[in-house]
Amino acid sequence: LSINQVLTLKLDKLGYNPEPEYSPNSIHQMFNTGSPEVETCEFLYSLVKLQKPHRILETGTYAGLSTAYMTQALKDNGREGSYVRSLEMDNAILEEFAKPLFDKLGLNSHIVLDFQDCNTYIPSEIYDFMFIDDSIQNRCSEIQRFTPSLSIGGLMVIHDMHNNFGLDPNFG
């Protein structure tokens, strides 16, 4: 088993059971309707393992599943001082889902949780990797606002960016 498959099994033992995605004819699985697909989380793990970033910025922690995969990859990379800074504006979600998950998985030493709206967050450092996954209405403004804080050679991954959500077709 790969490390990310082991993490998926750990989550399964904690009661996070993947189910088919809610969209018709989907071939993907989800832990819940608010988190990225299982396959997306595993892909994020692989990208972080490959790129070996020092600092990651994530918007939209929600239940913390994508955060957990990226953080596990950081730990597995062994870069001292590396961390994921994750922004979430719903403190109740953080307290009920994300924080207990990070405790159970032993990931807290590599996570900085910011109870903050991504629309008001001003980065004070450069990030090597960004995962943009807050409210779909914020995608375009997040990309514009956070790109200057992405390191040269850094990677920005954007989740759920398609016209079905009424995004501005003239964004560019």
Side-chain angles (χ1 to χ4, degrees), residues 118-137:
C118 71
N119 290 312
T120 60
Y121 177 72
I122 300 170
S124 60
E125 54 201 350
I126 301 296
Y127 293 92
D128 308 305
F129 190 98
M130 295 181 179
F131 181 52
I132 306 301
D133 193 29
D134 190 48
S135 300
I136 196 71
Q137 301 84 352

Side-chain angles (χ1 to χ4, degrees), residues 16 22 46 50 52 54 71 84 104 121 137 159:
Y16 291 86
Y22 53 85
S46 297
L50 176 68
K52 301 189 183 336
H54 187 71
T71 304
V84 175
K104 290 174 186 172
Y121 177 72
Q137 301 84 352
H159 190 241

Side-chain angles (χ1 to χ4, degrees), residues 76-111:
D76 294 345
N77 283 342
R79 290 192 67 189
E80 191 172 323
S82 62
Y83 63 91
V84 175
R85 178 177 302 278
S86 191
L87 310 176
E88 175 60 55
M89 59 186 242
D90 187 338
N91 198 44
I93 293 283
L94 287 178
E95 294 297 330
E96 184 177 352
F97 298 108
K99 288 181 178 181
L101 176 65
F102 303 150
D103 285 340
K104 290 174 186 172
L105 294 174
L107 300 174
N108 286 320
S109 63
H110 292 280
I111 299 173

Side-chain angles (χ1 to χ4, degrees), residues 16-35:
Y16 291 86
N17 303 307
E19 297 179 4
E21 187 180 29
Y22 53 85
S23 57
N25 304 317
S26 177
I27 58 172
H28 298 100
Q29 293 190 324
M30 298 179 77
F31 291 110
N32 57 52
T33 58
S35 296

Side-chain angles (χ1 to χ4, degrees), residues 3-4 41-49 69 72-73 76:
I3 297 293
N4 60 3
C41 291
E42 292 175 347
F43 181 65
L44 288 169
Y45 174 92
S46 297
L47 284 175
V48 171
K49 278 291 291 175
Y69 276 86
Q72 185 64 56
D76 294 345

